[in-house]
Each structure stands twice: as structure tokens, then as C-alpha cells.
Amino acid sequence: MEATEWKQRVKKYKGIFTEPPQTVPSDKVVDSPVIGNGDLGVTISGRPDQQRVWISKTDFWKAQKMYPNGSPCLLGGIDIHIPDLVNASYYCEQRLDEAQIVSAFHGTASSVYITSWISALENALIIEFSCEGQAVSVKPDLWVQQGNGSETEYGQESNAVWATRRFSGDDIEWPTEGVIAMRSSAGSPSFTLQPGTKQYLVAYVMTNHDEENYLRESIRKVGLIDEKAIASLRSDHEDWWSTFWAKSAIDIGDELLEKFWYGSHYIMACCSRNKNFAPGLFGNWITTDTPEWAGDYHLNYNYQAPWWGVYSSNHIELSEPYDTPLLEYMSSGRRYAKEYLGIRGLYYDVGIGPKGLPTALCNTPYENGHMFLGQKSNSALSTVNMLMRFYYTYDLEYAGFVYPFLTEVADFWEDYLIFENGRYVIYHDAIHEVGTYTESHDDDHWDRGLEDMNPILSLALIRMLFKGLLDISRQLQLDAERREKWTHILEHISEYPTFEREGKTIFRLTEQGYDWWPDNTLAIQHIWPAGGIGLDSDPGLLEIAKNTITVLNRWTDYNGFPTIFTAAARVGYEPETILRELRRQCSKHSFPNLFIFFGGGGIECCSGVPATINEMLLQSHEQVIRLFPVWPRDKAARFHQLRAAGAFVISSELSGGKVTLIEITSEKGQDCRIFNPWLNEGFSLIEVDSKHPKEIEWKLSSDIISFHTEAGKSYALRHHES
């Protein structure tokens, strides 16, 4: 299939709405159609005659200390009154391919069609109106959210109306000010829509984080958007999304799972592109000032999880915002480690915000007025995404950028680990947000994780961190003198704890402390995302991993969707079961806008389907590429430009139970190692970039095909039919 044909696959997948959304406003994810450009986010609710356009932005935060005061907040919106559509029928499509909301409302005498989109490259919202039948009156009202200590202002200049909302004052760490400037093509906010004509409503949204003179600039920009400018914006918008969808694709013969694979990438592309402000728990569709859990960056998996699918899906660009708040918080993390634990390194609260904002302070005598919740693993868990990005890209500039963070997390564990009886041991590190503790404590030394020892997730994160640092430090030629210590930790860290449950040996949450948690998937997070076990691991560990998933027997979980399915794929669990249960969860726990929702978090669920399907189609754990390793052999499937560790971009196809196509592009010239899909059968390896494709040398050892690559060149493995 040609690249253009792959790109077309997304066109058939849409969010379909046949009735007005029911859960807007929401303190979690919305059930309404969504659009966005990675910074500006818009969702639309209401009946045909009373449409409400909710406008929010990734950088519109109330930067106040003390939980839950520091959070992203609602900026405002536009109410669109069309009285002639009272009792009209409701139909709306959220079109993924071009990031548009297209609505059709059929009333008694008139039908109105509304198309809404946000420019992919500017913070401009365009709403297009047309109608059939009788003319209708349209009255838009611009508004911004009131209260919560904010100040608001309204005004008009020329043919534009504007409204601002700001948070500032002595109790605010840094001010946030935002504006929505709006104008219509009719020359006044209200207009009569005539059959056979089009009218446009345009809004430009800015904050003080974009531009110091944000009010003046937004008024200027909205005034420049005429029909010619809209056509130019539309062309650029379509080009951006076309390029985005061309980067990777799947064809697995399952339209439901494909829809959520594409839908999850759509949501991430809509909310994760402002490098200075990462999306919070619920993306950039904030419809209240009191989002659940402050809507902040929760570091005990919620913040990290949304991006776990973008690396293997070849959408590295969507991860650009991820590192920013983590690096901005380093000075605080460094201070907490020194003041509260007397060690080096980074000690992070369970929740943080942008620009070093502490969002997890609380009025309790415990944990020095913070919510560490007994957990020492938050900064280590934050390195997962950094190391995923490094291994999938071998981008040494990026590796150097995050290396100081990685080494300071290593400082923490070098000091915090206890070496006793020939192994490194972790004490006082809670596996869950409520660790075990004794009742005999005083308020000055209270520790929720007092009795937890060797939590299994931390054991895996330490392995991941120090292995990653050894690899990166060699690539960057830095800290050679530290590698002996890092290697010693890797070779002597405690083994994963296990115990017997339901007649099977399974993983235990801690060596001492909690053995099991009844409604959480903590028992498998060392597999995914920490990467502690994979298909190349010891067979005994793999068996324990599969036993653990079987005993869990809980594919539905308050927090587990981003982890349980991908962990099952990573260790080779029964693929038919994975697909059946994944399909069931997508059907039962989703909104028409393709948000998958469970009790905890929001955009975190965007990684569940992509990461799972990608791991079933292509694995590169320990840099051995396996094609269709956990996929039913009788089920045809193919994929276009998924990414493997080693900076390889791969396309492949499974048909008739056999791999029939393997195409590989090497971005960084790493040696390539592929598990041979054609055991005892012939194949050839072709370099396809030259004018005259040529065979190149390869080696076969223990069923692993290995060969040297050159950066920027492409290769094809071709099966010789017998």
C-alpha cells in the first residue's frame, strides 16, 4: 500500500453524536466533540438552538499554592443562539482526518450546518455557518468564566468584541491572563443567515504566556482573518493534519480497535504541542475551575501515561511538552531531597504544575506539609518517557538535554538505596498512595511508607534508569567514572518479590508491606511501563508475569487501562484474550469523542490502545525486533512506519500466517537485530535506497538476523517462496 493510501485510512473514522452531550461541564473528561491544535482546545455542547463553545488553553493556569488551588482553569467561550432550531434534530461528527466538528441541525423550517475547526498553526477558531430552507437569526455571545479569585473585563474595538480573564495578586506564584477576541464576517456579532450563503465567526485566543501585549495582539490578529486568510489557514491546517496522519498507520481487520488507535492519536495531537505547557490530566478541554485532582501533573503514572503510545507510533513530536515541567521543578526536587531526606538528587511530590509550581502542598503535619504519599518513585517514574524517547530515536541532542535530570535521579537512588547482605534494598517507599505504616509515630517523623520494603515498581525503575544511564553516558562519552557504581547497582539490586496466590506463583507488590491491592494493576507496572520483563527475559519470569495477569483477571480497573493490556502484550499473553478484552473496554468505557475513560485520570487512557496494538504488532525489547510477536497467526494484519528501539522505522505485513513484507529505515545507523520470521526458510536482505538495489551481508545466530545499517538508508527483507 502506498503512503497516500495509508493516510486515507483515517478518513473513515469519526466520532458520531446523535444527541447533545450529557456531561459538560465536567471535572474530568468531557463527552462532547473536541478539536484542538496542541495548545488551544475547544469542545461544544448544548442543544441545536443553544450551542455552547467551551474555550480553554494548556497555559491557562491559576498558579496558587496549596492543593487543590493550583490547577488549569476555564478561560471562557461563546454561546450561539439560533432560536429557529428549537426542537431541531441533532447530528454531529468529530472528523479525525481534518480535525473538524461538523454539525447538521434540521428544524421545522430550516436546516443549519456548522463546521468548527482550530487552525493547526495559529490559535484561531473558525466557525462556519450555512443553512437551507428559511433564513435564521444567529446571535453569538462571548463570555469568560467568573469567580475563583479572577478578574474579568469586556470590551469592543471596531467590529471585534473581546473578553479577558486574569489571575494575579500576592497569593499567585505567576500571573496568567487570557483573552478571547471575536468577530463575524457579517460585521457585527449577530447576523441573519440566508440560504445559500456562508457566514463566519472567528475567535483568536492568546495569553500573557504567548505575548506580553496579548490583548492588543489578539484584536489585531482577529481583524486580519477575512475569507482569504481563512482559506490560507485552512490549507495550512489540512497540510499539517495530512502530514501527521502519514507518519504511521495500521490495518488489523478490526474497525473498533482501529478507530480508537487513530482516535487516541487525534486526542494527543489536539492537546500536546505547546512545548512550554504540557497538558494536565484532562488535556485542554477544561470546562470548570475545579478539575478533579487539580487537573495537574500527577507523577505516579497519570502524567507520564498519555505519551506511552506515541513513541512506537512514530509521533515523537507529540512528546515535546513532556519534559518541560519536570525540568522546571528540579530546584524544588533537589531541595526536598536535601531538607527532608538528607540526600542528593530529586525528590518529587505526587503532583506538580508548570514553571515549578508546587500543586501538592497541604495543611497537614505529615510529610512536611507535602503530598509525597510515602512514595519515593515519582522522579524515577518520570524518566520512563525520557528513556523511551532515547531508545526509539537515539537522538543524542535530546539525550544530552535530559541527561542532567537522569543523573540527578541516579544521585537520589545512589544515596537512598541500602546495601546489605550482598544486595541493594529499598526501605520506606510506598507502593501505593497510602503506604503501610505503624501507629507508633510522632508528627515530626510520620512516614506513610514506614514499613514498605522493596516495592516492585521501584525495583524495575531502578533497573531501567541505571541501564539507560550506562547506555546514554557511553553514547555521550560522559561520566565514565560513575559507570562502575551504576553497574554494581544493576547487578545487585533485589529481585522482584513473589508469593503464592490462587495456586500460582505471582508477583508481590512489596517484599515487606502490601502483598496485593484488590483494585489496581500495581502488580504489573514493573513490566509496563518500566520495561522490567519482555519476551527475551528469563522463561521463569515470563511465566510468573503471565500467572500474575491471569490471577488479576481484571481487565477493567480504576487506574489500570494504560498498563494492563500493554503489559500483557509485552510478556506474550494470549493474544485473542487481549484483543477481546481490549475491544470490550473500548466499547464499555468510551465516549463518542473517542475518549476512553475510567475512574482515575483522563488523557492517560490515550496510550492504552496504541501501545498495546503496537506491542502486539512489533516489539523491540532489549533491541531485538520481533514482528507480530503477540498476534493471532490466522488474523491478517499490517502496519506502516511503526518505530522500533534503535531508531528504526518499520513497515510489515502478516498474511496467510506468514510475514510477507519487512521494510526498515535506519535513522541513526545502529546495528539491526531481527528475530527471524522464516525459520528454516530462505530470505534475502536488500538495500533499497541506491539506484540499483543490492543484497547486503547478514548474520544468523540463535534465530536472530543481524546486519549493519547506515543512517538514512532503507532495507527490505524478502522471503524466498519455496
Side-chain angles (χ1 to χ4, degrees), residues 57-133:
K57 210 165 170 292
T58 56
D59 61 1
F60 196 77
W61 278 68
K62 180 183 182 182
Q64 188 176 44
K65 291 182 178 180
M66 306 305 291
Y67 180 83
N69 295 323
S71 70
C73 290
L74 169 63
L75 177 54
I78 304 168
D79 288 340
I80 301 174
H81 308 277
I82 311 178
D84 296 291
L85 293 183
V86 171
N87 298 322
S89 64
Y90 185 99
Y91 181 81
C92 180
E93 293 182 354
Q94 174 184 293
R95 297 182 180 175
L96 305 187
D97 60 326
E98 294 181 347
Q100 295 183 346
I101 299 172
V102 179
S103 302
F105 305 134
H106 300 293
T108 304
S110 305
S111 294
V112 175
Y113 305 93
I114 304 175
T115 298
S116 306
W117 52 283
I118 297 171
S119 165
L121 302 179
E122 292 197 50
N123 282 337
L125 166 66
I126 316 296
I127 305 176
E128 307 169 3
F129 299 84
S130 63
C131 75
E132 295 176 350

Coordinates of all heavy atoms in Angstrom, one line a residue, residues 57-133:
K57 N -7.1 26.5 27.2 CA -5.8 26.6 26.7 C -4.8 25.9 27.7 O -5.0 26.0 28.9 CB -5.4 28.1 26.5 CG -4.5 28.4 25.4 CD -4.5 29.8 25.0 CE -3.3 30.2 24.1 NZ -2.0 30.1 24.7
T58 N -3.8 25.3 27.1 CA -2.9 24.5 28.0 C -2.2 25.4 29.0 O -1.7 24.9 30.1 CB -1.9 23.7 27.2 OG1 -1.1 24.6 26.4 CG2 -2.5 22.6 26.4
D59 N -2.0 26.7 28.7 CA -1.2 27.5 29.6 C -2.1 28.4 30.5 O -1.6 29.3 31.2 CB -0.3 28.4 28.8 CG -1.0 29.3 27.8 OD1 -2.2 29.3 27.8 OD2 -0.3 30.1 27.1
F60 N -3.4 28.2 30.5 CA -4.3 29.0 31.4 C -4.5 28.3 32.7 O -5.4 27.6 33.0 CB -5.7 29.3 30.7 CG -6.4 30.4 31.3 CD1 -6.0 31.7 31.1 CD2 -7.4 30.2 32.2 CE1 -6.7 32.8 31.7 CE2 -8.1 31.2 32.9 CZ -7.7 32.5 32.6
W61 N -3.5 28.6 33.6 CA -3.5 28.0 35.0 C -3.7 29.1 36.0 O -3.2 30.3 35.8 CB -2.1 27.4 35.2 CG -1.9 26.0 34.6 CD1 -1.9 25.7 33.3 CD2 -1.7 24.8 35.4 NE1 -1.7 24.3 33.2 CE2 -1.6 23.8 34.4 CE3 -1.6 24.5 36.7 CZ2 -1.4 22.5 34.8 CZ3 -1.4 23.2 37.1 CH2 -1.3 22.2 36.2
K62 N -4.3 28.7 37.1 CA -4.3 29.5 38.3 C -3.1 29.0 39.2 O -3.1 27.9 39.7 CB -5.6 29.4 39.1 CG -5.6 30.2 40.4 CD -6.9 30.0 41.2 CE -6.9 30.9 42.4 NZ -8.1 30.7 43.2
A63 N -2.0 29.8 39.2 CA -0.8 29.4 39.8 C -0.8 29.7 41.3 O 0.0 30.5 41.8 CB 0.4 30.0 39.1
Q64 N -1.6 29.0 42.1 CA -1.7 29.3 43.5 C -1.3 28.0 44.2 O -1.6 26.9 43.9 CB -3.2 29.6 43.9 CG -3.3 30.0 45.4 CD -4.7 30.5 45.6 OE1 -5.7 29.8 45.2 NE2 -4.9 31.6 46.3
K65 N -0.5 28.2 45.3 CA -0.1 27.1 46.1 C -1.2 26.5 46.9 O -2.3 27.0 47.0 CB 1.0 27.5 47.1 CG 2.4 27.9 46.4 CD 3.4 28.2 47.4 CE 4.7 28.5 46.8 NZ 5.8 28.9 47.8
M66 N -0.9 25.3 47.5 CA -1.9 24.6 48.4 C -2.9 23.8 47.6 O -3.7 24.4 46.9 CB -2.5 25.4 49.4 CG -1.6 26.2 50.3 SD -0.3 25.2 51.1 CE -1.3 24.3 52.3
Y67 N -2.8 22.5 47.6 CA -3.8 21.6 47.0 C -5.2 21.9 47.4 O -5.4 22.0 48.6 CB -3.4 20.2 47.2 CG -4.3 19.2 46.6 CD1 -4.1 18.8 45.3 CD2 -5.3 18.6 47.3 CE1 -4.9 17.9 44.6 CE2 -6.2 17.6 46.7 CZ -5.9 17.3 45.4 OH -6.7 16.4 44.7
P68 N -6.2 22.0 46.5 CA -6.2 21.8 45.1 C -6.2 23.2 44.3 O -6.9 23.2 43.3 CB -7.4 21.0 44.8 CG -8.4 21.5 45.8 CD -7.6 22.0 47.0
N69 N -5.6 24.2 44.9 CA -5.8 25.5 44.3 C -5.1 25.8 43.0 O -5.5 26.5 42.1 CB -5.4 26.6 45.3 CG -6.3 26.6 46.5 OD1 -7.5 26.4 46.4 ND2 -5.7 26.8 47.7
G70 N -3.9 25.1 42.8 CA -3.1 25.3 41.6 C -3.6 24.3 40.5 O -3.4 23.1 40.7
S71 N -4.2 24.9 39.5 CA -4.8 24.0 38.5 C -5.1 24.7 37.2 O -5.1 26.0 37.2 CB -6.2 23.4 39.0 OG -7.2 24.5 39.0
P72 N -5.2 24.0 36.1 CA -5.7 24.6 34.9 C -7.1 25.1 35.1 O -7.9 24.4 35.8 CB -5.6 23.5 33.8 CG -5.6 22.3 34.6 CD -4.9 22.6 35.9
C73 N -7.5 26.2 34.5 CA -8.9 26.7 34.7 C -9.5 27.0 33.3 O -8.8 27.1 32.3 CB -8.8 28.0 35.5 SG -8.4 27.7 37.2
L74 N -10.8 27.2 33.4 CA -11.6 27.5 32.2 C -11.3 29.0 31.8 O -11.4 29.8 32.7 CB -13.0 27.2 32.4 CG -14.0 27.7 31.4 CD1 -13.8 27.1 30.0 CD2 -15.5 27.5 31.9
L75 N -11.1 29.2 30.5 CA -11.0 30.6 30.1 C -12.3 31.2 29.8 O -12.8 32.1 30.4 CB -10.1 30.7 28.8 CG -9.9 32.1 28.2 CD1 -9.5 33.1 29.2 CD2 -8.9 32.0 27.0
G76 N -13.1 30.6 28.9 CA -14.4 31.1 28.6 C -15.0 30.4 27.4 O -14.8 29.2 27.2
G77 N -15.8 31.2 26.6 CA -16.4 30.5 25.5 C -17.4 31.4 24.7 O -17.4 32.6 24.9
I78 N -18.1 30.8 23.8 CA -19.1 31.5 23.0 C -20.4 30.8 23.0 O -20.4 29.5 22.8 CB -18.6 31.6 21.6 CG1 -17.2 32.3 21.5 CG2 -19.6 32.4 20.7 CD1 -16.6 32.2 20.1
D79 N -21.5 31.4 23.4 CA -22.8 30.8 23.3 C -23.4 31.3 22.0 O -23.4 32.4 21.6 CB -23.7 31.3 24.4 CG -23.3 30.7 25.8 OD1 -22.7 29.6 25.7 OD2 -23.7 31.3 26.8
I80 N -23.9 30.3 21.2 CA -24.5 30.5 19.9 C -26.0 30.3 20.0 O -26.4 29.1 20.1 CB -23.9 29.7 18.8 CG1 -22.3 30.0 18.8 CG2 -24.5 29.9 17.5 CD1 -21.6 29.1 17.8
H81 N -26.8 31.3 19.9 CA -28.3 31.2 20.0 C -28.9 31.2 18.6 O -28.7 32.1 17.8 CB -28.8 32.4 20.8 CG -28.2 32.6 22.1 ND1 -28.5 31.9 23.2 CD2 -27.2 33.4 22.5 CE1 -27.8 32.3 24.2 NE2 -27.0 33.2 23.8
I82 N -29.6 30.2 18.3 CA -30.3 30.1 17.0 C -31.8 29.7 17.3 O -32.1 28.5 17.3 CB -29.7 29.1 16.0 CG1 -28.2 29.3 15.9 CG2 -30.3 29.1 14.6 CD1 -27.4 28.3 15.0
P83 N -32.6 30.6 17.7 CA -34.0 30.3 18.2 C -34.8 29.5 17.2 O -35.6 28.7 17.6 CB -34.6 31.7 18.4 CG -33.4 32.6 18.5 CD -32.3 32.1 17.7
D84 N -34.5 29.6 15.9 CA -35.3 28.8 14.9 C -35.0 27.3 15.0 O -35.7 26.5 14.3 CB -35.0 29.3 13.5 CG -35.5 30.8 13.3 OD1 -36.7 31.0 13.3 OD2 -34.6 31.6 13.2
L85 N -34.0 26.9 15.7 CA -33.7 25.5 15.8 C -34.2 24.8 17.1 O -33.8 23.7 17.5 CB -32.2 25.3 15.8 CG -31.5 25.6 14.4 CD1 -30.0 25.3 14.5 CD2 -32.2 24.9 13.3
V86 N -35.2 25.5 17.8 CA -35.8 24.8 18.9 C -36.4 23.5 18.4 O -37.1 23.5 17.4 CB -36.9 25.7 19.6 CG1 -37.7 25.0 20.6 CG2 -36.2 26.9 20.2
N87 N -36.1 22.4 19.1 CA -36.7 21.1 18.8 C -36.1 20.5 17.5 O -36.6 19.6 17.0 CB -38.2 21.1 18.8 CG -38.8 21.5 20.1 OD1 -38.3 21.1 21.2 ND2 -39.9 22.2 20.1
A88 N -35.0 21.1 17.0 CA -34.4 20.5 15.8 C -33.7 19.2 16.2 O -33.3 19.0 17.3 CB -33.4 21.5 15.3
S89 N -33.5 18.4 15.1 CA -32.8 17.2 15.3 C -31.3 17.5 15.5 O -30.8 18.5 15.0 CB -33.0 16.2 14.1 OG -32.4 16.8 13.0
Y90 N -30.6 16.6 16.2 CA -29.2 16.8 16.5 C -28.3 15.7 15.8 O -28.5 14.5 15.9 CB -29.0 16.7 18.0 CG -27.6 17.0 18.5 CD1 -27.3 18.3 19.0 CD2 -26.5 16.1 18.4 CE1 -26.0 18.6 19.4 CE2 -25.3 16.4 18.9 CZ -25.0 17.7 19.4 OH -23.7 18.0 19.8
Y91 N -27.3 16.2 15.1 CA -26.3 15.3 14.5 C -25.0 16.0 14.4 O -24.9 17.2 13.9 CB -26.7 14.8 13.1 CG -25.7 13.8 12.5 CD1 -25.7 12.5 12.9 CD2 -24.8 14.3 11.6 CE1 -24.8 11.6 12.3 CE2 -23.8 13.4 11.1 CZ -23.9 12.0 11.4 OH -22.9 11.2 10.9
C92 N -23.9 15.3 14.8 CA -22.6 16.0 14.8 C -21.5 14.9 14.6 O -21.6 13.8 15.0 CB -22.4 16.6 16.2 SG -20.8 17.5 16.3
E93 N -20.5 15.3 13.8 CA -19.4 14.4 13.5 C -18.1 15.1 14.0 O -17.9 16.3 13.7 CB -19.2 14.1 12.0 CG -20.4 13.2 11.5 CD -20.2 12.9 10.0 OE1 -19.2 13.5 9.4 OE2 -21.0 12.1 9.5
Q94 N -17.3 14.3 14.7 CA -15.9 14.8 15.0 C -15.0 14.1 14.0 O -14.7 12.9 14.1 CB -15.6 14.4 16.4 CG -14.1 14.6 16.9 CD -13.9 14.1 18.3 OE1 -14.4 14.6 19.2 NE2 -13.1 13.1 18.4
R95 N -14.5 14.8 13.0 CA -13.8 14.2 11.9 C -12.3 14.2 12.2 O -11.7 15.3 12.4 CB -14.1 14.9 10.6 CG -15.6 14.8 10.2 CD -15.9 15.5 8.9 NE -17.3 15.3 8.5 CZ -17.8 15.9 7.5 NH1 -17.1 16.6 6.6 NH2 -19.1 15.7 7.2
L96 N -11.7 13.0 12.3 CA -10.3 12.9 12.7 C -9.3 13.4 11.6 O -8.3 14.0 12.0 CB -10.0 11.5 13.1 CG -10.8 10.8 14.1 CD1 -10.2 9.4 14.5 CD2 -11.0 11.7 15.4
D97 N -9.7 13.1 10.4 CA -8.7 13.4 9.3 C -8.3 14.8 9.2 O -7.2 15.2 9.0 CB -9.1 12.8 8.0 CG -10.4 13.4 7.5 OD1 -11.3 13.7 8.4 OD2 -10.6 13.6 6.3
E98 N -9.3 15.8 9.4 CA -9.0 17.2 9.2 C -9.3 18.0 10.5 O -9.3 19.2 10.5 CB -9.9 17.8 8.1 CG -9.4 17.2 6.7 CD -10.2 17.8 5.6 OE1 -11.2 18.4 5.9 OE2 -9.8 17.6 4.4
A99 N -9.5 17.3 11.6 CA -9.7 17.9 12.9 C -10.8 19.0 12.9 O -10.6 20.1 13.1 CB -8.4 18.5 13.4
Q100 N -12.0 18.5 12.5 CA -13.2 19.4 12.4 C -14.4 18.8 13.2 O -14.5 17.6 13.3 CB -13.6 19.6 11.0 CG -12.6 20.3 10.1 CD -13.2 20.5 8.7 OE1 -14.2 19.9 8.3 NE2 -12.5 21.4 7.9
I101 N -15.2 19.7 13.7 CA -16.5 19.3 14.2 C -17.6 19.8 13.2 O -17.7 21.0 12.9 CB -16.8 20.0 15.5 CG1 -15.8 19.5 16.6 CG2 -18.2 19.6 16.0 CD1 -15.9 20.2 17.9
V102 N -18.3 18.9 12.6 CA -19.3 19.2 11.6 C -20.7 18.8 12.1 O -20.9 17.6 12.4 CB -19.0 18.5 10.2 CG1 -20.0 18.8 9.2 CG2 -17.6 18.8 9.8
S103 N -21.6 19.8 12.2 CA -22.9 19.6 12.8 C -24.0 19.9 11.7 O -23.8 20.8 10.9 CB -23.1 20.5 14.0 OG -22.1 20.3 15.0
A104 N -25.0 19.1 11.8 CA -26.2 19.3 11.0 C -27.5 19.3 11.8 O -27.8 18.3 12.5 CB -26.3 18.2 9.9
F105 N -28.2 20.4 11.9 CA -29.4 20.5 12.7 C -30.6 20.8 11.8 O -30.6 21.8 11.1 CB -29.2 21.6 13.8 CG -28.0 21.5 14.6 CD1 -27.1 22.6 14.8 CD2 -27.6 20.3 15.2 CE1 -26.0 22.5 15.6 CE2 -26.5 20.2 16.0 CZ -25.7 21.3 16.2
H106 N -31.5 19.9 11.9 CA -32.7 20.0 11.0 C -33.9 20.4 11.8 O -34.4 19.7 12.6 CB -33.0 18.7 10.3 CG -31.8 18.3 9.4 ND1 -31.4 19.0 8.3 CD2 -30.9 17.2 9.5 CE1 -30.4 18.4 7.7 NE2 -30.1 17.3 8.5
G107 N -34.4 21.7 11.6 CA -35.6 22.2 12.2 C -36.8 22.1 11.4 O -36.8 21.5 10.3
T108 N -37.9 22.6 11.8 CA -39.2 22.6 11.1 C -39.1 23.3 9.7 O -39.5 22.8 8.7 CB -40.3 23.2 11.9 OG1 -40.4 22.5 13.2 CG2 -41.6 23.1 11.2
A109 N -38.5 24.5 9.7 CA -38.5 25.3 8.5 C -37.0 25.5 8.0 O -36.9 26.0 6.8 CB -39.1 26.7 8.8
S110 N -36.0 25.2 8.8 CA -34.7 25.4 8.4 C -33.7 24.3 8.8 O -34.0 23.6 9.8 CB -34.2 26.8 9.0 OG -35.0 27.8 8.6
S111 N -32.7 24.1 8.0 CA -31.6 23.2 8.4 C -30.3 24.1 8.5 O -30.1 24.9 7.5 CB -31.4 22.1 7.4 OG -32.5 21.2 7.4
V112 N -29.6 24.0 9.5 CA -28.4 24.7 9.7 C -27.2 23.8 9.8 O -27.2 22.8 10.5 CB -28.4 25.6 11.0 CG1 -27.1 26.3 11.2 CG2 -29.6 26.6 10.9
Y113 N -26.1 24.2 9.1 CA -24.9 23.4 9.1 C -23.7 24.2 9.6 O -23.5 25.4 9.2 CB -24.5 22.9 7.6 CG -25.7 22.2 7.0 CD1 -26.6 22.9 6.2 CD2 -25.9 20.8 7.2 CE1 -27.7 22.2 5.7 CE2 -27.0 20.2 6.6 CZ -27.9 20.9 5.9 OH -28.9 20.2 5.3
I114 N -23.0 23.6 10.6 CA -22.0 24.4 11.3 C -20.7 23.5 11.3 O -20.7 22.4 11.7 CB -22.3 24.7 12.8 CG1 -23.6 25.5 12.8 CG2 -21.2 25.5 13.4 CD1 -24.1 25.7 14.2
T115 N -19.6 24.1 10.8 CA -18.3 23.5 10.8 C -17.3 24.3 11.6 O -17.2 25.5 11.4 CB -17.7 23.3 9.4 OG1 -18.6 22.5 8.6 CG2 -16.4 22.7 9.4
S116 N -16.7 23.6 12.6 CA -15.8 24.3 13.5 C -14.4 23.7 13.5 O -14.3 22.4 13.5 CB -16.4 24.2 15.0 OG -17.7 24.7 15.1
W117 N -13.4 24.5 13.4 CA -12.0 24.0 13.4 C -11.1 25.0 14.0 O -11.4 26.2 14.0 CB -11.6 23.5 12.0 CG -11.8 24.5 11.0 CD1 -12.9 24.9 10.3 CD2 -10.8 25.4 10.4 NE1 -12.7 25.9 9.4 CE2 -11.4 26.2 9.4 CE3 -9.4 25.5 10.6 CZ2 -10.7 27.1 8.6 CZ3 -8.7 26.4 9.8 CH2 -9.3 27.2 8.8
I118 N -10.0 24.5 14.5 CA -8.9 25.4 15.1 C -7.7 25.2 14.2 O -7.3 24.1 13.9 CB -8.5 25.0 16.5 CG1 -9.7 25.1 17.5 CG2 -7.4 25.8 17.0 CD1 -9.5 24.6 18.8
S119 N -7.2 26.3 13.7 CA -6.0 26.3 12.8 C -4.9 25.5 13.5 O -4.6 25.7 14.7 CB -5.5 27.7 12.6 OG -4.2 27.7 12.1
A120 N -4.3 24.6 12.7 CA -3.2 23.8 13.3 C -2.0 24.6 13.7 O -1.2 24.2 14.5 CB -2.8 22.7 12.3
L121 N -1.9 25.8 13.1 CA -0.7 26.6 13.3 C -0.9 27.9 14.0 O 0.1 28.6 14.4 CB 0.0 26.9 11.9 CG 0.3 25.6 11.1 CD1 0.9 26.0 9.8 CD2 1.3 24.7 11.9
E122 N -2.1 28.3 14.2 CA -2.4 29.5 15.0 C -3.6 29.3 15.9 O -4.4 28.4 15.7 CB -2.7 30.7 14.0 CG -1.6 31.2 13.2 CD -1.8 32.5 12.6 OE1 -2.2 33.4 13.4 OE2 -1.6 32.7 11.4
N123 N -3.7 30.1 17.0 CA -4.7 29.9 17.9 C -6.0 30.7 17.5 O -6.6 31.5 18.2 CB -4.3 30.4 19.3 CG -3.4 29.4 20.0 OD1 -3.5 28.2 19.7 ND2 -2.6 29.9 21.0
A124 N -6.4 30.3 16.3 CA -7.6 30.9 15.6 C -8.7 29.8 15.5 O -8.4 28.7 15.0 CB -7.3 31.4 14.3
L125 N -9.9 30.1 16.1 CA -11.0 29.2 16.0 C -11.9 29.8 14.9 O -12.3 31.0 14.9 CB -11.8 29.2 17.3 CG -13.2 28.6 17.3 CD1 -13.2 27.1 16.9 CD2 -13.9 28.9 18.6
I126 N -12.3 28.9 13.9 CA -13.1 29.3 12.8 C -14.4 28.5 12.9 O -14.4 27.3 13.0 CB -12.5 29.0 11.4 CG1 -11.0 29.5 11.4 CG2 -13.3 29.6 10.3 CD1 -10.8 30.9 11.6
I127 N -15.6 29.2 12.9 CA -16.9 28.5 12.9 C -17.6 29.0 11.7 O -17.9 30.2 11.5 CB -17.7 28.9 14.2 CG1 -16.9 28.5 15.5 CG2 -19.0 28.1 14.2 CD1 -17.5 28.9 16.8
E128 N -18.0 28.1 10.8 CA -18.6 28.4 9.5 C -20.1 28.0 9.6 O -20.4 26.9 10.0 CB -17.9 27.6 8.4 CG -16.4 27.8 8.4 CD -15.7 26.9 7.4 OE1 -16.4 26.1 6.7 OE2 -14.5 26.9 7.3
F129 N -21.0 28.9 9.1 CA -22.4 28.6 9.1 C -23.0 28.7 7.7 O -22.6 29.5 6.9 CB -23.1 29.8 9.9 CG -22.7 29.9 11.4 CD1 -21.6 30.6 11.7 CD2 -23.5 29.3 12.4 CE1 -21.2 30.7 13.1 CE2 -23.1 29.4 13.7 CZ -22.0 30.1 14.0
S130 N -23.9 27.7 7.5 CA -24.7 27.8 6.2 C -26.1 27.2 6.6 O -26.2 26.6 7.6 CB -24.0 27.0 5.1 OG -23.9 25.7 5.4
C131 N -27.0 27.4 5.7 CA -28.4 26.9 6.0 C -29.2 26.6 4.7 O -28.8 27.1 3.6 CB -29.2 27.9 6.9 SG -29.8 29.3 6.1
E132 N -30.2 25.8 4.9 CA -31.2 25.6 3.8 C -32.6 25.9 4.4 O -32.8 25.8 5.6 CB -31.1 24.1 3.4 CG -29.8 23.7 2.7 CD -29.7 22.2 2.4 OE1 -30.6 21.5 2.9 OE2 -28.7 21.8 1.7
G133 N -33.5 26.1 3.5 CA -34.9 26.5 3.9 C -35.0 28.0 4.2 O -34.5 28.8 3.4

